[in-house]
């Protein structure tokens, strides 16, 4: 099928990269990588090859026979620079030598005081959606897959971990870690971290990397991962990536989790000491199939990754935690979905599952593809029954494994396999029209209803008691905070802070919802806590809504830019760009 990826300069008619051998020297003093990369192409290339790049300092380009000429186009704010390699004469390999920029968007270099241990620096990458190009020139589109090997040289006392298979470690002046990735991946799933990391086995296929200070708590929190893989395999088919390990990052990590193959990158804020944040791991694990095995061809088809993953997440949650818990998640998610749609505008193209051809893919990836995508797939399930739909899931995974597909290719497959869906569900409306159809199977949850009762009571002047909410499910607390009026009396803010035991629970999701209410309610004394939060936590899902609330509220509007300037250095480029985007849009 013909398609164009608006977020990449790749021209598929020129040829495709098939394999890359990397030699990466990691230099903490200059915050750069020195890389030699040998590229193999799927077939011989004649003339030019366009690659995506971002602030790459290219030093040498050659094929086996000769030097290649090159040219960088002017930099586009979002896409970086097109690198044109010229003069191929039927070559199917070439080598580049280059240095990355200290401003490489995929990389965050942390000083020792930003880690738990406080003694060693830390580095990690985050390539999704279009930041791999700041580490190495590539066809940075999820429609191109390649295998790779990597030799990673790091300072003697540090450990390198990659989303790949570790082969061996060579000691010397530097320590060199050897990796290989035998399964073909799209560039956005390339991932590397370096720091004072230790490793702990959790099960036969599962383990965890973290700083020594955190490893104990982390290993306890995620001890059930092996069971999860077993359940996921029943739903989605065999796990084809070998191991499934986790890597706990410093709190500035801009996401909750990132599904890097074989090695999910994780926010440390998921370690709550309750095993209560399991849906995050379930989500990242499910991506091993929906996303990593069967991949969206462009970021316009993002729902194929995230909607499918959210659907799989709810199915696995149902098995592991029961229907009550699953229904509660869904009811909460429906409310979130409607709130986000209202924020971006019910008629905005951002509320369609097939997204518009934007260049700024980081900012247009909202939670809409997650929840709307999940609800659409549930409608498909209702239309044909669970048994038939489960057969379809297995066939879908098996038919498209290690491939990328567009929404249209998916719909063709759906039509061929489950024509009944098209009779019962208005597929076109779900995919191509904004907002939500009028009729669908909206989630019902008695645990959610219990919270709604407490909210009605609050409206009538009866506040919930500490005892009443003590045994609430984590998502009930979230649903309560979600449902509170945005403006409440300051004394009530203090009251909820106390009865919800926010400080004791130390849950970033609770803090984020709560701080927003405090800001909008004019509880100015909350500001130091908000600043402390913003100085530490990078997870955009929780940081950006606070920034929005501060922008929208009169008393805090002028305070948000100075506050952000004070914490800016502690954040990842991706978070900085996202916050800057909000501030600039608001004229701040
Ligand atoms: N793949 C995403 C993270 C992502 C999305 C990175 C878009 C870059 C661009 C990951 O699987 C994810 O969805 N993480 C969520 C948590 C999840 C439980 C909803 C997050 O980080 O908030
Ligand atoms: Zn995801």
């Amino acid at each position: 099928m013909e398609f164009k990826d608006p977020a990449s300069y790749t021209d598929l008619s020129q040829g495709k990269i098939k394999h890359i051998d990397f030699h990466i020297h990691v230099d903490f003093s200059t915050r750069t990588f020195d890389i030699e990369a040998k590229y193999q192409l799927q077939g011989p290339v004649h003339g030019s090859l366009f690659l995506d790049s971002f602030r790459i300092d290219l030093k040498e380009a050659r094929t086996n026979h000769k030097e290649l000429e090159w040219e960088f186009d002017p930099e586009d704010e979002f896409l970086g620079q097109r690198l044109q390699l010229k003069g191929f004469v039927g070559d199917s390999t070439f080598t580049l030598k280059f240095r990355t920029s200290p401003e490489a968007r995929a990389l965050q270099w942390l000083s020792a005081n930003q880690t738990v241990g406080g003694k060693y620096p830390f580095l990690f990458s985050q390539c999704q959606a279009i930041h791999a190009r700041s580490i190495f020139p590539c066809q940075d589109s999820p429609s191109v897959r390649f295998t790779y090997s990597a030799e990673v040289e790091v300072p003697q006392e540090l450990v390198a971990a990659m989303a790949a298979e570790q082969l061996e470690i060579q000691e010397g002046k530097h320590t060199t870690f050897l990796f290989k990735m035998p399964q073909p991946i799209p560039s956005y799933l390339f991932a590397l971290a370096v720091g004072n990391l230790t490793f702990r086995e959790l099960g036969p296929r599962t383990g965890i990397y973290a700083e020594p200070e955190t490893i104990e708590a982390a290993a306890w929190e995620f001890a059930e991962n092996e069971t999860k893989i077993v359940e996921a395999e029943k739903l989605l088919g065999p796990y084809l990536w070998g191991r499934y390990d986790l890597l706990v990052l410093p709190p500035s990590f801009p996401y909750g989790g990132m599904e890097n193959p074989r090695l999910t990158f994780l926010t440390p804020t998921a370690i709550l000491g309750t095993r209560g944040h399991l849906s995050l791991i379930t989500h990242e694990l499910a991506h091993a199939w929906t996303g990593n095995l069967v991949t969206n061809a462009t970021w316009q088809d993002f729902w194929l990754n995230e909607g499918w993953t959210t659907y799989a997440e709810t199915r696995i949650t149902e098995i592991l935690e029961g229907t009550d818990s699953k229904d509660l998640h869904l009811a909460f998610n429906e409310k979130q979905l409607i709130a986000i749609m209202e924020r971006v505008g019910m008629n905005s193209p951002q509320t369609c599952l097939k997204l518009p051809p934007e260049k700024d893919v980081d900012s247009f990836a909202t939670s809409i593809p997650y929840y709307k995508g999940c609800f659409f797939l549930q409608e498909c399930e209702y239309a044909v029954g669970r048994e038939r739909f489960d057969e379809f899931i297995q066939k879908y995974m098996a038919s498209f494994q290690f491939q990328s597909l567009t929404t249209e290719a998916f719909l063709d497959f759906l039509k061929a396999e489950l024509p009944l869906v098209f009779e019962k569900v208005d597929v076109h409306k779900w995919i191509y029209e904004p907002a939500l159809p009028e009729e669908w199977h909206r989630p019902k949850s008695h645990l959610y209803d219990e919270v709604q009762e407490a909210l009605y009571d609050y409206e009538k002047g009866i506040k919930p008691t500490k005892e009443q909410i003590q045994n609430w499910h984590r998502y009930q607390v979230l649903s309560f905070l979600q449902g509170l009026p945005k403006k409440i009396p300051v004394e009530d803010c203090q009251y909820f802070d106390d009865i919800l035991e926010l400080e004791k629970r130390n849950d970033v999701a609770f803090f984020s919802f709560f701080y927003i209410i405090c800001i909008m309610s004019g509880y100015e004394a909350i500001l130091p806590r908000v600043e402390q939060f913003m100085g530490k936590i990078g997870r955009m899902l929780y940081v950006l809504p606070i920034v929005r609330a501060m922008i929208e509220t009169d008393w805090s509007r002028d305070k948000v830019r100075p506050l952000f300037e004070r914490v800016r250095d502690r954040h990842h480029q991706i978070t900085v760009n996202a916050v800057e985007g909000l501030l600039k849009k608001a004229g701040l």
Side-chain angles (χ1 to χ4, degrees):
M1 169 154 318
E2 278 297 303
F3 64 89
K4 168 93 190 81
D5 184 347
S8 170
Y9 292 118
T10 299
D11 178 348
L12 292 179
S13 70
Q14 295 171 332
K16 275 190 187 182
I17 294 169
K18 185 173 116 190
H19 179 85
I20 308 177
D21 292 306
F22 293 100
H23 181 93
I24 303 175
H25 174 81
V26 178
D27 187 346
F28 278 90
S29 64
T30 54
R31 300 191 157 188
T32 59
F33 291 172
D34 274 310
I35 300 184
E36 178 169 327
K38 294 192 175 124
Y39 296 73
Q40 286 172 34
L41 297 151
Q42 273 178 1
V45 171
H46 297 269
S48 292
L49 183 69
F50 300 160
L51 299 177
D52 295 296
S53 74
F54 180 83
R55 300 195 190 161
I56 295 285
D57 179 9
L58 186 55
K59 305 197 188 276
E60 197 181 317
R62 59 181 157 78
T63 65
N64 282 341
H65 319 286
K66 62 163 190 146
E67 306 259 311
L68 289 169
E69 304 218 326
W70 71 76
E71 194 179 318
F72 284 100
D73 285 359
E75 182 177 305
D76 176 273
E77 185 187 354
F78 301 109
L79 303 188
Q81 288 165 288
R82 183 175 75 166
L83 166 60
Q84 193 175 346
L85 297 175
K86 299 178 194 175
F88 286 96
V89 285
D91 312 275
S92 40
T93 61
F94 65 95
T95 300
L96 302 181
K97 285 189 190 166
F98 54 93
R99 176 175 281 198
T100 59
S101 158
E103 292 128 44
R105 278 189 180 153
L107 301 177
Q108 190 180 11
W109 300 85
L110 298 163
S111 50
N113 71 2
Q114 286 169 280
T115 65
V116 191
K119 291 202 199 81
Y120 301 95
F122 201 102
L123 157 86
F124 67 89
S125 68
Q126 167 58 43
C127 289
Q128 195 183 10
I130 56 166
H131 305 306
R133 62 191 69 180
S134 70
I135 305 180
F136 57 101
C138 56
Q139 293 176 312
D140 202 4
S141 164
S143 57
V144 179
R145 303 177 95 92
F146 59 92
T147 53
Y148 71 84
S149 77
E151 298 174 5
V152 184
E153 248 177 45
V154 304
Q156 241 172 15
E157 64 280 12
L158 299 182
V159 169
M162 284 197 90
E165 187 183 338
Q166 196 186 88
L167 300 176
E168 62 177 281
I169 304 170
Q170 297 166 350
E171 312 278 351
K173 192 163 142 251
H174 304 280
T175 317
T176 306
F177 291 79
L178 305 188
F179 300 93
K180 76 164 185 200
M181 188 60 191
Q183 291 94 351
I185 55 147
S187 51
Y188 80 91
L189 292 176
F190 177 94
L192 168 67
V194 181
N196 181 28
L197 292 168
T198 50
F199 179 75
R200 178 78 60 88
E201 290 283 345
L202 296 174
R205 286 179 285 185
T206 48
I208 187 156
Y209 289 89
E211 287 185 65
E213 294 78 5
T214 334
I215 194 84
E216 203 64 51
W220 184 85
E221 194 84 36
F222 307 116
E224 291 156 12
N225 280 4
E226 195 75 34
T227 330
K228 272 197 174 165
I229 304 185
V230 174
E231 286 310 327
E233 284 188 308
K234 287 186 201 156
L235 180 69
L236 299 157
Y239 181 75
L240 296 177
W241 301 91
R243 294 193 56 85
Y244 181 68
D245 296 322
L246 301 179
L247 170 68
V248 180
L249 291 172
S252 60
F253 181 49
Y255 296 97
M258 176 62 213
E259 66 273 24
N260 295 316
R262 307 171 68 103
L263 184 64
T264 282
F265 281 21
L266 199 69
T267 172
T269 63
I271 305 170
L272 290 169
T274 59
R275 293 191 180 159
H277 212 310
L278 296 173
S279 62
L280 203 155
I281 306 289
T282 313
H283 179 97
E284 304 313 333
L285 172 64
H287 270 306
W289 290 264
T290 52
N292 298 5
L293 207 54
V294 180
T295 310
N296 51 205
T298 77
W299 300 111
Q300 289 180 264
D301 309 298
F302 190 48
W303 80 275
L304 285 178
N305 274 15
E306 296 299 347
W308 263 105
T309 299
T310 308
Y311 173 78
E313 174 197 328
T314 64
R315 292 289 305 273
I316 299 166
T317 304
E318 180 174 332
I319 294 163
L320 296 175
E321 295 177 37
T323 29
D324 280 354
S325 178
K326 181 205 83 169
D327 291 341
L328 173 62
H329 281 230
L330 286 173
F332 171 81
N333 287 347
E334 185 203 358
K335 253 293 188 45
Q336 286 300 98
L337 174 60
I338 291 168
I340 303 163
M341 285 183 165
E342 278 169 353
R343 176 166 60 71
V344 300
M346 282 293 178
N347 276 321
S348 159
Q350 274 193 49
T351 68
C352 299
L353 284 180
K354 178 81 183 191
L355 290 163
E358 295 273 343
K359 290 198 288 185
D360 184 7
V361 283
D362 271 341
S363 84
F364 89 148
T366 66
S367 302
I368 296 170
Y370 291 67
Y371 305 141
K372 185 176 175 186
C374 170
F375 291 135
F376 166 62
L377 292 168
Q378 273 187 351
E379 290 304 289
C380 299
E381 182 199 316
Y382 281 121
V384 297
R386 182 162 280 190
E387 206 176 313
R388 185 67 197 89
F389 197 66
D390 283 359
E391 285 166 18
F392 168 77
I393 297 176
Q394 298 256 347
K395 187 158 180 197
Y396 174 47
M397 289 298 132
S399 309
F400 292 98
Q401 63 180 40
F402 299 112
Q403 294 177 37
S404 306
L405 80 169
T406 58
T407 299
E408 291 66 33
F410 170 74
L411 294 182
D412 287 346
F413 185 73
L414 184 67
K415 195 159 215 164
E417 294 296 321
L418 300 176
L420 191 58
V421 165
F422 286 76
E423 284 169 35
K424 294 198 173 171
V425 181
D426 192 341
V427 175
H428 190 273
K429 199 169 196 145
W430 275 96
I431 304 279
Y432 296 104
E433 290 181 28
L436 285 164
E438 251 141 53
E439 269 182 54
W440 57 287
H441 297 78
R442 298 184 48 199
K444 288 193 191 74
S445 156
H446 71 88
L447 295 176
Y448 190 79
D449 292 344
E450 193 185 310
V451 174
Q452 298 311 302
E453 285 301 319
L455 287 164
Y456 289 136
D457 284 347
Y458 176 65
E459 246 172 64
K460 286 185 272 164
I462 311 161
K463 290 187 203 131
T465 62
K466 206 172 198 159
E467 294 67 46
Q468 189 182 343
I469 60 154
Q470 218 154 40
N471 295 318
W472 269 5
H473 188 290
R474 177 168 180 267
Y475 270 81
Q476 284 184 294
V477 177
L478 284 174
S479 303
F480 183 76
L481 292 168
Q482 176 195 56
L484 276 176
K486 291 290 163 262
K487 229 176 142 119
I488 60 176
V490 167
E491 312 80 74
D492 289 4
C493 293
Q494 287 157 338
Y495 177 78
F496 290 132
D497 196 5
D498 172 40
I499 66 156
L500 294 171
E501 299 187 305
L502 294 181
E503 287 299 327
K504 194 170 127 199
R505 294 198 216 211
N506 199 24
D507 185 321
V508 283
F510 294 176
F511 283 132
S512 177
F513 276 85
F514 178 67
Y515 291 158
I516 291 166
I517 295 167
C518 294
I519 291 163
M520 295 199 149
S521 303
Y523 181 18
E524 300 194 18
I526 203 71
L527 209 55
R529 276 167 73 187
V530 172
E531 178 155 346
Q532 196 198 18
F533 183 91
M534 298 274 297
K536 191 167 171 209
I537 307 300
R539 187 171 176 189
M540 293 194 288
L541 184 66
Y542 298 131
V543 169
L544 301 184
I546 296 180
V547 175
R548 276 193 208 100
M550 286 191 74
I551 291 172
E552 281 162 25
T553 311
D554 286 345
W555 74 268
S556 54
R557 192 179 159 83
D558 291 341
K559 299 193 163 56
V560 56
R561 161 71 73 187
L563 186 156
F564 181 63
E565 292 305 334
R566 291 194 290 274
V567 300
R568 181 190 190 98
D569 282 355
R570 307 193 67 87
H571 285 289
H572 196 286
Q573 295 278 336
I574 295 177
T575 316
V576 171
N577 286 345
V579 173
E580 274 298 340
L582 294 179
L583 294 175
K584 287 202 181 117
K585 212 168 119 198
L588 293 167

